Amino acid sequence: MAHFLVRVQPRSSRDRVEGYLDGMLKVRVTAPPADGKANTALTKLLAEFLEVPRSGIKIVRGVTSRNKMVEVESLSEEALLVRLDSVKTRGGG
């Protein structure tokens, strides 16, 4: 099981993983923050990006905040770091 920090920017022009900087994954979603829509968009985007089932991604802290702690059930910390490091080398997604 892996945990990581995410900074979410709702109401963006498109859904996108921006990059990984200072221990935090920067993500933009088109959905508004109302009624959990941005959180739903975030879990969908992260599932696609990390190539894991959407049901295995949980927001464990910061549900109503832009800064969130996310848990991924089916991914080890080492595997997560490899995937997040690839965002750094690609220049942001």
Side-chain angles (χ1 to χ4, degrees), residues 52-68:
V52 298
R54 194 167 159 196
S55 61
I57 295 180
K58 294 180 179 66
I59 299 170
V60 294
R61 188 173 68 220
V63 173
T64 60
S65 171
R66 287 185 185 201
N67 296 328
K68 303 174 185 304

Side-chain angles (χ1 to χ4, degrees), residues 1 4-5 10 13 15 21 26 33 36 40-41 43-44 52 57 59 64-65 67 69 73 77-78 81 83 87 89 91:
M1 190 174 308
F4 63 102
L5 294 172
S13 60
D15 293 340
L21 185 63
K26 314 279 193 226
T40 300
T43 56
K44 180 180 177 189
V52 298
I57 295 180
I59 299 170
T64 60
S65 171
N67 296 328
M69 174 66 71
E73 279 183 16
E77 292 284 342
E78 295 80 21
L81 289 175
R83 292 179 189 189
V87 177
T89 56

Side-chain angles (χ1 to χ4, degrees), residues 3-82:
H3 294 85
F4 63 102
L5 294 172
V6 177
R7 170 91 175 163
V8 180
Q9 175 65 53
R11 292 190 176 139
S12 181
S13 60
R14 67 184 183 133
D15 293 340
R16 173 186 167 109
V17 175
E18 284 287 307
Y20 184 67
L21 185 63
D22 299 327
M24 187 175 286
L25 186 66
K26 314 279 193 226
V27 177
R28 295 179 183 266
V29 294
T30 57
D35 301 322
K37 291 178 183 174
N39 288 338
T40 300
L42 173 66
T43 56
K44 180 180 177 189
L45 181 63
L46 290 177
E48 291 170 6
F49 172 72
L50 296 172
E51 299 174 350
V52 298
R54 194 167 159 196
S55 61
I57 295 180
K58 294 180 179 66
I59 299 170
V60 294
R61 188 173 68 220
V63 173
T64 60
S65 171
R66 287 185 185 201
N67 296 328
K68 303 174 185 304
M69 174 66 71
V70 175
E71 175 182 279
V72 183
E73 279 183 16
S74 59
L75 206 57
S76 70
E77 292 284 342
E78 295 80 21
L80 174 68
L81 289 175
V82 167

